[in-house]
Amino acid sequence: MDKVAVLDFGSQYTQLIARKVRELGVYSEIYPYHVSLNRLQEEKPSALILSGGPSSVYDNGAPSLSSQFFQLGIPVLGICYSLHLMAQILGGEVSASSKREYGFASLNVLNREGLLSGVEEGEQVWMSHGDRVEKLPEGFMVTGSTSNCRVAVMERREKKWFGIQFHPEVIHTKPGPKILSNFLFSLSGVKAEWSIQAFLEDKVEQIRTQVGNQRVLCGLSGGVDSLVTSLIVQKAVKDRLFCILVDNGLMRKGQYNELMEIFPHKFSLNVVGVSAEDKFLERLRKVTSPERKRKIIGETFIRIFKEEAEHLGGVKFLAQGTIYPDVIESSPVKGPSSSIKSHHNVGGLPKGLKFKLVEPLRELFKDEVRELASRLGVDSKFISQHPFPGPGLAVRIVGEVTPQRLQILREADDILLQEIRKEHLYNRLWQAFAVLLPVKTVGVMGDRRSYQRVVVVRLVRSVDGMTADWFPATPELLSRLSNRIVNEVEGVNRVVYDITTKPPGTIEWE
Ligand code: XMP
């Protein structure tokens, strides 16, 4: 199967490039810009796309590329920063500019035989750059320009080298899909052989070979990724898959029982339920640091897994729902975003766990996992559920986690979700949840002074969780939430609404 390698120079759009290529039916993977020539050659890509990035080619330590990458005989498309890099590496000239051009531009098509075949004159494109190409490298011609940018598209067709100043991967660039498909199909001769159905059939076969007649264990979390993982493994190994659902006491109201009902009955999964609330709460006693909570919860899960595996006996494999954005080797130009909170279970297994890993979703993006879920018969309500953090309500109780606090938060959170659903807001929000604060405030209830806890309501919209906006809820909704939570949840006398965007805030409070 043909594969496209996307080299990441730090653009916020790198994943989008890989997604767009897959949407065109071609398998794509992301590599850091400093991937070695040997490693890349081993991957045998049929085409290379070099992403944009936040740097200027004149910055100190700006990410670069060996000119040898252009001698592999593989077609190359450079986007934005990588257009400048290509120009510089191949002998052209780039001028630095302190002023960025950012936003829409209209594209003048100067030649329609290559990258811009089928693109209309004046179509809208999305620009975001500082530097510009002043002198073309040898053998290149300009095939597209805008009023502010003479070299918006440059091509050297006999070498199959192409550069674009604007971003073909973003939705604001109208001819983006056309340009990418020209690059892939007519200019590079790549074949469209990737589809989610083909992927599924391949995966099932691979797992069958990998696992042989051994047993596989899979932890279910209640999220889509672990469910889809189980369903794929189940197709491959049938009743030799054993799923575990751990009640850590940190789930939403009724969640554990609901899941214990649907997993075996709806999906015929072989599920062992483990009640471990006491273990988790005991280990979380007196712990207030968010990162310490995460660590303890992670470790406790692993312990329980080990115990259950020993209990079952003969389990050699562990299936995990790791998805592609969790495993992409991030490039150092990306900034500090990956180290703010210790999120996912990436990086293999902790020492002491002797399983071999089965990770069928390792190559997939989230929306591809959702498509797969739908093909595997998972209903849309389950698929479109909001993300819920692995450490659950523990990171929504600021300070120490106790059974009483969990009880308060569960009730408040349940009321909040009921109201959000009533308003048909659930699917318009990225997440909707309550947070319990470790402070008490004074109130007056039925002529009596009260001194009770504060609940925060957090409703956010987001595309990928990397940035988020608070939702402008109506005063009526806020008022209903406040009235119901204060009146119905014992121990709460104040409700506040969180109006913090991400950044500078994060979505969760811990
Ligand atoms: P933040 O709070 O960093 O969250 O803005 C971004 C997204 O990640 C989720 N999140 C987590 N998910 N384990 C998880 O599996 C965690 O420890 C964790 N912390 C945050 C959060 O709910 C949001 O969707």
Side-chain angles (χ1 to χ4, degrees):
M1 183 169 63
D2 277 339
K3 164 154 117 185
V4 169
V6 179
L7 299 202
D8 181 14
F9 287 83
S11 167
Q12 56 178 323
Y13 302 130
T14 302
Q15 291 200 23
L16 202 52
I17 301 173
R19 281 289 303 117
K20 291 288 161 186
V21 171
R22 288 192 192 184
E23 272 171 27
L24 292 168
V26 179
Y27 184 64
S28 64
E29 276 192 28
I30 299 171
Y31 301 87
Y33 72 88
H34 48 75
V35 62
S36 74
L37 201 64
N38 281 345
R39 161 96 200 275
L40 193 79
Q41 278 177 301
E42 278 166 18
E43 298 291 330
K44 298 195 176 61
S46 309
L48 270 185
I49 300 182
L50 315 178
S51 84
S55 315
S56 154
V57 286
Y58 291 108
D59 287 348
N60 254 342
S64 191
L65 193 67
S66 153
S67 61
Q68 289 173 299
F69 280 80
F70 293 92
Q71 309 308 331
L72 297 172
I74 303 172
V76 183
L77 173 67
I79 296 173
C80 195
Y81 173 76
S82 290
L83 163 94
H84 310 143
L85 198 62
M86 271 174 93
Q88 206 186 39
I89 292 171
L90 298 171
E93 271 172 34
V94 176
S95 71
S97 156
S98 53
K99 228 176 71 205
R100 274 189 94 77
E101 181 190 3
Y102 187 79
F104 295 114
S106 122
L107 183 66
N108 304 317
V109 181
L110 308 176
N111 181 299
R112 256 196 199 90
E113 271 149 42
L115 218 45
L116 301 184
S117 163
V119 175
E120 303 287 327
E121 181 64 19
E123 282 198 77
Q124 173 188 300
V125 296
W126 177 258
M127 290 284 194
S128 168
H129 65 111
D131 297 352
R132 62 181 68 209
V133 174
E134 285 301 333
K135 184 173 149 255
L136 288 175
E138 195 191 320
F140 275 80
M141 64 174 169
V142 180
T143 58
S145 63
T146 70
S147 56
N148 265 329
C149 176
R150 188 176 69 86
V151 186
V153 184
M154 67 176 196
E155 310 185 28
R156 184 166 175 186
R157 283 182 204 143
E158 84 283 5
K159 291 280 194 187
K160 298 193 193 301
W161 294 336
F162 305 89
I164 323 180
Q165 180 62 81
F166 50 87
H167 288 274
E169 68 277 21
V170 304
I171 199 152
H172 312 297
T173 295
K174 297 292 178 231
K178 182 85 208 138
I179 293 171
L180 286 175
S181 76
N182 286 341
F183 170 67
L184 293 172
F185 305 124
S186 47
L187 298 168
S188 306
V190 170
K191 287 190 282 308
E193 293 160 325
W194 155 265
S195 74
I196 207 79
Q197 186 59 34
F199 170 88
L200 177 61
E201 286 158 20
D202 252 35
K203 253 317 140 194
V204 169
E205 217 30 65
Q206 270 176 30
I207 296 172
R208 236 175 239 150
T209 315
Q210 184 191 3
V211 170
N213 53 11
Q214 302 287 339
R215 290 176 157 187
V216 187
L217 195 66
C218 183
L220 290 166
S221 68
V224 181
D225 302 346
S226 57
L227 175 58
V228 172
T229 299
S230 298
L231 294 176
I232 296 176
V233 176
Q234 186 188 36
K235 268 185 178 296
V237 308
K238 305 281 183 293
D239 57 0
R240 279 178 289 111
L241 168 69
F242 297 86
C243 298
I244 295 184
L245 180 65
V246 179
D247 184 3
N248 57 8
L250 305 169
M251 292 192 202
R252 286 181 143 157
K253 185 175 176 182
Q255 203 182 356
Y256 178 74
N257 291 340
E258 214 174 287
L259 295 174
M260 277 311 283
E261 175 66 27
I262 58 173
F263 287 151
H265 296 124
K266 200 155 170 212
F267 298 108
S268 307
L269 287 168
N270 198 352
V271 185
V272 182
V274 183
S275 297
E277 184 174 358
D278 294 348
K279 262 190 201 151
F280 280 87
L281 292 189
E282 178 51 37
R283 299 198 65 211
L284 283 169
R285 244 163 62 92
K286 302 236 159 43
V287 177
T288 54
S289 145
E291 285 304 277
R292 187 92 199 99
K293 286 181 188 174
R294 283 190 170 82
K295 202 151 181 274
I296 289 174
I297 293 165
E299 283 169 5
T300 312
F301 266 120
I302 299 288
R303 258 193 217 183
I304 291 174
F305 261 78
K306 237 170 126 177
E307 286 166 15
E308 288 305 313
E310 277 160 19
H311 212 73
L312 280 165
V315 178
K316 291 262 173 11
F317 291 88
L318 180 74
Q320 278 194 343
T322 318
I323 67 170
Y324 193 47
D326 302 335
V327 294
I328 297 174
E329 296 173 65
S330 63
S331 72
V333 280
K334 239 188 203 140
S337 60
S338 56
S339 56
I340 294 170
K341 288 178 195 178
S342 54
H343 285 189
H344 302 282
N345 51 348
V346 200
L349 283 171
K351 289 189 190 75
L353 271 192
K354 301 244 173 335
F355 299 115
K356 289 186 195 129
L357 283 178
V358 180
E359 296 182 303
L361 309 182
R362 232 182 133 77
E363 291 108 4
L364 297 188
F365 287 104
K366 190 77 187 184
D367 51 341
E368 292 170 330
V369 175
R370 293 200 176 111
E371 191 186 333
L372 206 48
S374 157
R375 275 170 197 261
L376 290 164
V378 181
D379 65 41
S380 59
K381 189 169 168 221
F382 194 97
I383 294 173
S384 58
Q385 66 179 309
H386 291 167
F388 186 67
L393 300 183
V395 290
R396 293 179 179 171
I397 292 175
V398 179
E400 189 185 354
V401 179
T402 66
Q404 295 75 16
R405 290 178 185 182
L406 278 164
Q407 173 66 16
I408 292 178
L409 182 58
R410 254 190 220 113
E411 292 304 324
D413 187 65
D414 185 50
I415 292 172
L416 186 151
L417 281 182
Q418 285 173 22
E419 291 298 325
I420 294 301
R421 289 218 160 88
K422 247 192 247 162
E423 293 266 317
H424 303 292
L425 274 181
Y426 189 88
N427 289 331
R428 291 175 56 204
L429 296 173
W430 171 264
Q431 271 169 297
F433 58 90
V435 177
L436 185 67
L437 299 189
V439 286
K440 286 186 171 178
T441 68
V442 174
V444 50
M445 273 175 153
D447 294 337
R448 283 185 140 196
R449 179 184 188 273
S450 67
Y451 188 52
Q452 295 180 328
R453 301 226 167 249
V454 183
V455 160
V456 179
V457 170
R458 181 95 165 121
L459 311 180
V460 295
R461 280 202 289 209
S462 172
V463 176
D464 53 10
M466 301 299 287
T467 61
D469 287 326
W470 56 275
F471 178 69
T474 60
E476 292 75 20
L477 173 65
L478 293 174
S479 151
R480 257 201 319 283
L481 286 173
S482 158
N483 285 340
R484 280 200 62 192
I485 293 173
V486 168
N487 285 312
E488 295 174 38
V489 184
E490 201 164 323
V492 177
N493 69 353
R494 193 175 295 269
V495 173
V496 296
Y497 191 46
D498 184 350
I499 50 168
T500 318
T501 55
K502 172 182 179 175
T506 52
I507 294 175
E508 305 289 346
W509 272 52
E510 289 202 328

PDB file of all heavy atoms in Angstrom, residues 436-449:
ATOM      1  N   LEU A 436     -15.651  20.403  42.151  1.00  0.00           N
ATOM      2  CA  LEU A 436     -15.906  20.732  43.553  1.00  0.00           C
ATOM      3  C   LEU A 436     -14.680  21.416  44.149  1.00  0.00           C
ATOM      4  O   LEU A 436     -13.567  20.905  44.057  1.00  0.00           O
ATOM      5  CB  LEU A 436     -16.229  19.460  44.339  1.00  0.00           C
ATOM      6  CG  LEU A 436     -16.631  19.693  45.792  1.00  0.00           C
ATOM      7  CD1 LEU A 436     -17.969  20.420  45.892  1.00  0.00           C
ATOM      8  CD2 LEU A 436     -16.719  18.362  46.540  1.00  0.00           C
ATOM      9  N   LEU A 437     -14.904  22.584  44.750  1.00  0.00           N
ATOM     10  CA  LEU A 437     -13.778  23.333  45.320  1.00  0.00           C
ATOM     11  C   LEU A 437     -13.592  23.007  46.807  1.00  0.00           C
ATOM     12  O   LEU A 437     -14.553  22.695  47.501  1.00  0.00           O
ATOM     13  CB  LEU A 437     -14.022  24.835  45.157  1.00  0.00           C
ATOM     14  CG  LEU A 437     -14.148  25.333  43.714  1.00  0.00           C
ATOM     15  CD1 LEU A 437     -14.165  26.850  43.685  1.00  0.00           C
ATOM     16  CD2 LEU A 437     -13.016  24.798  42.849  1.00  0.00           C
ATOM     17  N   PRO A 438     -12.355  23.146  47.284  1.00  0.00           N
ATOM     18  CA  PRO A 438     -12.086  22.807  48.687  1.00  0.00           C
ATOM     19  C   PRO A 438     -12.323  23.993  49.619  1.00  0.00           C
ATOM     20  O   PRO A 438     -11.667  24.119  50.632  1.00  0.00           O
ATOM     21  CB  PRO A 438     -10.606  22.437  48.657  1.00  0.00           C
ATOM     22  CG  PRO A 438     -10.047  23.277  47.557  1.00  0.00           C
ATOM     23  CD  PRO A 438     -11.128  23.519  46.566  1.00  0.00           C
ATOM     24  N   VAL A 439     -13.226  24.884  49.237  1.00  0.00           N
ATOM     25  CA  VAL A 439     -13.505  26.027  50.126  1.00  0.00           C
ATOM     26  C   VAL A 439     -14.971  25.999  50.529  1.00  0.00           C
ATOM     27  O   VAL A 439     -15.817  25.482  49.805  1.00  0.00           O
ATOM     28  CB  VAL A 439     -13.230  27.387  49.435  1.00  0.00           C
ATOM     29  CG1 VAL A 439     -11.765  27.651  49.313  1.00  0.00           C
ATOM     30  CG2 VAL A 439     -13.913  27.461  48.080  1.00  0.00           C
ATOM     31  N   LYS A 440     -15.244  26.586  51.682  1.00  0.00           N
ATOM     32  CA  LYS A 440     -16.639  26.736  52.112  1.00  0.00           C
ATOM     33  C   LYS A 440     -16.959  28.221  52.099  1.00  0.00           C
ATOM     34  O   LYS A 440     -16.086  29.052  52.392  1.00  0.00           O
ATOM     35  CB  LYS A 440     -16.807  26.185  53.529  1.00  0.00           C
ATOM     36  CG  LYS A 440     -16.778  24.675  53.575  1.00  0.00           C
ATOM     37  CD  LYS A 440     -17.087  24.212  54.970  1.00  0.00           C
ATOM     38  CE  LYS A 440     -17.290  22.713  55.008  1.00  0.00           C
ATOM     39  NZ  LYS A 440     -17.543  22.246  56.367  1.00  0.00           N
ATOM     40  N   THR A 441     -18.189  28.535  51.768  1.00  0.00           N
ATOM     41  CA  THR A 441     -18.576  29.949  51.824  1.00  0.00           C
ATOM     42  C   THR A 441     -19.868  30.064  52.630  1.00  0.00           C
ATOM     43  O   THR A 441     -20.596  29.090  52.812  1.00  0.00           O
ATOM     44  CB  THR A 441     -18.803  30.546  50.421  1.00  0.00           C
ATOM     45  OG1 THR A 441     -19.960  29.935  49.851  1.00  0.00           O
ATOM     46  CG2 THR A 441     -17.624  30.352  49.503  1.00  0.00           C
ATOM     47  N   VAL A 442     -20.129  31.280  53.071  1.00  0.00           N
ATOM     48  CA  VAL A 442     -21.310  31.525  53.897  1.00  0.00           C
ATOM     49  C   VAL A 442     -22.519  31.763  53.004  1.00  0.00           C
ATOM     50  O   VAL A 442     -22.417  32.403  51.963  1.00  0.00           O
ATOM     51  CB  VAL A 442     -21.075  32.755  54.802  1.00  0.00           C
ATOM     52  CG1 VAL A 442     -22.346  33.111  55.569  1.00  0.00           C
ATOM     53  CG2 VAL A 442     -19.928  32.482  55.753  1.00  0.00           C
ATOM     54  N   GLY A 443     -23.648  31.227  53.408  1.00  0.00           N
ATOM     55  CA  GLY A 443     -24.885  31.464  52.673  1.00  0.00           C
ATOM     56  C   GLY A 443     -26.035  31.537  53.655  1.00  0.00           C
ATOM     57  O   GLY A 443     -25.827  31.417  54.874  1.00  0.00           O
ATOM     58  N   VAL A 444     -27.221  31.738  53.117  1.00  0.00           N
ATOM     59  CA  VAL A 444     -28.384  31.711  53.991  1.00  0.00           C
ATOM     60  C   VAL A 444     -29.439  30.839  53.337  1.00  0.00           C
ATOM     61  O   VAL A 444     -29.778  31.012  52.166  1.00  0.00           O
ATOM     62  CB  VAL A 444     -28.896  33.141  54.309  1.00  0.00           C
ATOM     63  CG1 VAL A 444     -29.060  33.978  53.061  1.00  0.00           C
ATOM     64  CG2 VAL A 444     -30.203  33.097  55.096  1.00  0.00           C
ATOM     65  N   MET A 445     -29.890  29.835  54.096  1.00  0.00           N
ATOM     66  CA  MET A 445     -30.862  28.892  53.549  1.00  0.00           C
ATOM     67  C   MET A 445     -31.973  28.739  54.561  1.00  0.00           C
ATOM     68  O   MET A 445     -31.708  28.360  55.716  1.00  0.00           O
ATOM     69  CB  MET A 445     -30.211  27.538  53.302  1.00  0.00           C
ATOM     70  CG  MET A 445     -29.565  27.425  51.946  1.00  0.00           C
ATOM     71  SD  MET A 445     -28.730  25.853  51.861  1.00  0.00           S
ATOM     72  CE  MET A 445     -28.756  25.559  50.131  1.00  0.00           C
ATOM     73  N   GLY A 446     -33.208  29.025  54.160  1.00  0.00           N
ATOM     74  CA  GLY A 446     -34.352  28.912  55.068  1.00  0.00           C
ATOM     75  C   GLY A 446     -34.107  29.686  56.352  1.00  0.00           C
ATOM     76  O   GLY A 446     -34.254  29.123  57.437  1.00  0.00           O
ATOM     77  N   ASP A 447     -33.693  30.952  56.219  1.00  0.00           N
ATOM     78  CA  ASP A 447     -33.451  31.834  57.365  1.00  0.00           C
ATOM     79  C   ASP A 447     -32.281  31.422  58.249  1.00  0.00           C
ATOM     80  O   ASP A 447     -32.077  31.978  59.324  1.00  0.00           O
ATOM     81  CB  ASP A 447     -34.705  31.934  58.271  1.00  0.00           C
ATOM     82  CG  ASP A 447     -35.836  32.617  57.535  1.00  0.00           C
ATOM     83  OD1 ASP A 447     -35.513  33.365  56.582  1.00  0.00           O
ATOM     84  OD2 ASP A 447     -36.999  32.379  57.885  1.00  0.00           O
ATOM     85  N   ARG A 448     -31.531  30.427  57.800  1.00  0.00           N
ATOM     86  CA  ARG A 448     -30.406  29.984  58.631  1.00  0.00           C
ATOM     87  C   ARG A 448     -29.102  30.211  57.901  1.00  0.00           C
ATOM     88  O   ARG A 448     -29.039  30.075  56.688  1.00  0.00           O
ATOM     89  CB  ARG A 448     -30.525  28.491  58.897  1.00  0.00           C
ATOM     90  CG  ARG A 448     -31.555  28.187  59.927  1.00  0.00           C
ATOM     91  CD  ARG A 448     -31.539  26.764  60.225  1.00  0.00           C
ATOM     92  NE  ARG A 448     -31.709  26.541  61.641  1.00  0.00           N
ATOM     93  CZ  ARG A 448     -31.428  25.400  62.201  1.00  0.00           C
ATOM     94  NH1 ARG A 448     -30.908  24.433  61.495  1.00  0.00           N
ATOM     95  NH2 ARG A 448     -31.647  25.234  63.480  1.00  0.00           N
ATOM     96  N   ARG A 449     -28.093  30.490  58.666  1.00  0.00           N
ATOM     97  CA  ARG A 449     -26.771  30.650  58.078  1.00  0.00           C
ATOM     98  C   ARG A 449     -26.286  29.284  57.622  1.00  0.00           C
ATOM     99  O   ARG A 449     -26.456  28.287  58.326  1.00  0.00           O
ATOM    100  CB  ARG A 449     -25.835  31.205  59.147  1.00  0.00           C
ATOM    101  CG  ARG A 449     -24.410  31.401  58.700  1.00  0.00           C
ATOM    102  CD  ARG A 449     -23.588  31.858  59.905  1.00  0.00           C
ATOM    103  NE  ARG A 449     -22.242  32.253  59.541  1.00  0.00           N
ATOM    104  CZ  ARG A 449     -21.210  31.424  59.444  1.00  0.00           C
ATOM    105  NH1 ARG A 449     -21.389  30.144  59.665  1.00  0.00           N
ATOM    106  NH2 ARG A 449     -20.000  31.880  59.143  1.00  0.00           N
TER     107      ARG A 449
END
